[in-house]
Amino acid sequence: MQAELDTLEAKIRQVATLCHALRQENIALRQQLLAAQQDNKQLTARLDAAKARLQALLETLPEDL
């Protein structure tokens, strides 16, 4: 009986350790996602600015080219 309880205790510790590791990984992944979203937002803004500059440049070209 004691051996079974010891085995159960070891398994519970393994599950608790795994749960902790997964929570830490989840936190890290959330931080990576947030950073990627911020980068995406900045790149989108830069792309929009470049499109606007290109459109303005195209409007200065004569139409008979």
Side-chain angles (χ1 to χ4, degrees):
M1 178 76 169
Q2 184 62 37
E4 292 171 345
L5 290 175
D6 290 343
T7 301
L8 181 58
E9 181 182 2
K11 288 181 180 181
I12 290 172
R13 286 182 195 271
Q14 287 177 338
V15 169
T17 301
L18 178 60
C19 183
H20 178 72
L22 290 174
R23 284 185 184 181
Q24 294 301 113
E25 183 180 5
N26 192 20
I27 289 169
L29 289 171
R30 286 177 187 265
Q31 290 172 345
Q32 289 176 10
L33 176 61
L34 181 58
Q37 288 172 333
Q38 290 172 346
D39 287 346
N40 189 33
K41 188 175 181 180
Q42 290 175 350
L43 290 172
T44 299
R46 289 176 61 190
L47 183 58
D48 289 342
K51 286 179 187 178
R53 288 193 308 271
L54 184 56
Q55 184 62 38
L57 181 60
L58 289 173
E59 290 174 3
T60 64
L61 294 176
E63 293 198 23
D64 60 346
L65 287 179

